[in-house]
Amino acid sequence: MLIINKQGLIEYEVIPEVPGGYVNQFNKPVVSKSGERLYVLSSYETSSGVNGRVTAYSLASESLLWRKDLSFPLPHIVDFLAPILQLKEAGNKVVVMTGPAIIALNTKTGEPVWTYLFYEGRTDINAGSNLTSQKGYVYAVETTNLVKLDLDGREIWKIPTGGLVERLFIADGNLYFSTGLLPQIITMHSVDARTGKLNYQFSSSDSGIEGSFSSAFDASDKYLVNIGLLKIYGYRQPE
């Protein structure tokens, strides 16, 4: 992995220090909000399966800060998933999503602070899928549920999504997500991040929406934009 400055010049190279390890193509490196740390997600083979590791580097000193191996390895027969699905920095914690659980690590040491198990601890490598955070809270998708946690790992609310969630993000105090995949009906949802109450939803079966309606979208305080296969759809947010 190459670290490139704003002038396009290579400053240094980061190599995950895992014997026989590799950086999965689905795992994007994450730069801390302060711009001082780089978190690299990698995978490596063990006797029990494919395990995940988070490595933190200092961008200022180009040095290794810590490495942490995570639990919940994937079975060897699973070749289409990564042990670590997403990573977000939230407060003084690094929040990591795996299939069966969310794990919060201390940003300075990499030590686990808390673990939130999906399905009340009944392991399912496909449970976790989407993760985001804002203003001291973590939001995650557990198959067909949306969960809000505080930075101590306490559950604030949990609501059903009505289907498998393709994408999740937060903007202006609202959570936005889509359910369904083409050629199925795709439904867009807006949920109040504080309360978990539904603001509105609409689907590709509604009048005026053609077959190119997809699960790719973005939102601002005024508009919700759907990036369709043939068109771009813009919707004015309710006042």
Side-chain angles (χ1 to χ4, degrees), residues 8 32-33 54 67 131 140 157 194:
S32 67
K33 294 177 182 178
V54 180
R67 292 194 301 265
L131 178 72
W157 50 251
R194 185 179 65 86

Side-chain angles (χ1 to χ4, degrees), residues 13-82:
E13 182 178 3
V14 169
I15 302 175
E17 300 179 28
V18 184
Y22 54 91
V23 176
N24 191 287
Q25 62 176 327
F26 301 110
N27 290 152
K28 297 179 180 179
V30 177
V31 177
S32 67
K33 294 177 182 178
S34 65
E36 298 175 351
R37 293 186 180 91
L38 174 71
Y39 300 107
V40 178
L41 315 180
S42 57
S43 306
Y44 64 98
E45 300 282 342
T46 69
S47 59
S48 58
V50 181
N51 209 352
R53 170 177 286 178
V54 180
T55 307
Y57 296 91
S58 168
L59 291 176
S61 62
E62 304 179 16
S63 60
L64 172 69
L65 296 175
W66 50 261
R67 292 194 301 265
K68 185 62 183 178
D69 295 344
L70 301 180
S71 51
F72 310 113
L74 292 176
H76 288 290
I77 59 172
V78 179
D79 57 3
F80 55 89
L81 291 175

Side-chain angles (χ1 to χ4, degrees), residues 47-169:
S47 59
S48 58
V50 181
N51 209 352
R53 170 177 286 178
V54 180
T55 307
Y57 296 91
S58 168
L59 291 176
S61 62
E62 304 179 16
S63 60
L64 172 69
L65 296 175
W66 50 261
R67 292 194 301 265
K68 185 62 183 178
D69 295 344
L70 301 180
S71 51
F72 310 113
L74 292 176
H76 288 290
I77 59 172
V78 179
D79 57 3
F80 55 89
L81 291 175
I84 304 174
L85 301 176
Q86 285 181 273
L87 180 148
K88 297 286 184 181
E89 192 180 58
N92 61 348
K93 297 177 179 66
V94 178
V95 182
V96 181
M97 170 169 275
T98 68
I102 299 172
I103 305 171
L105 308 177
N106 184 293
T107 55
K108 293 183 179 179
T109 65
E111 289 303 308
V113 180
W114 52 261
T115 298
Y116 177 88
L117 294 172
F118 295 129
Y119 288 146
E120 299 177 348
R122 300 191 301 276
T123 301
D124 182 343
I125 61 174
N126 293 303
S129 62
N130 286 273
L131 178 72
T132 191
S133 65
Q134 191 177 75
K135 296 181 179 179
Y137 293 98
V138 175
Y139 304 89
V141 174
E142 172 196 77
T143 308
T144 56
N145 291 312
L146 178 58
V147 182
K148 177 180 181 179
L149 308 174
D150 65 16
L151 292 186
D152 293 319
R154 291 186 291 257
E155 185 180 296
I156 306 301
W157 50 251
K158 179 191 287 189
I159 59 172
T161 61
L164 296 176
V165 173
E166 174 66 10
R167 188 183 175 205
L168 168 73
F169 70 94

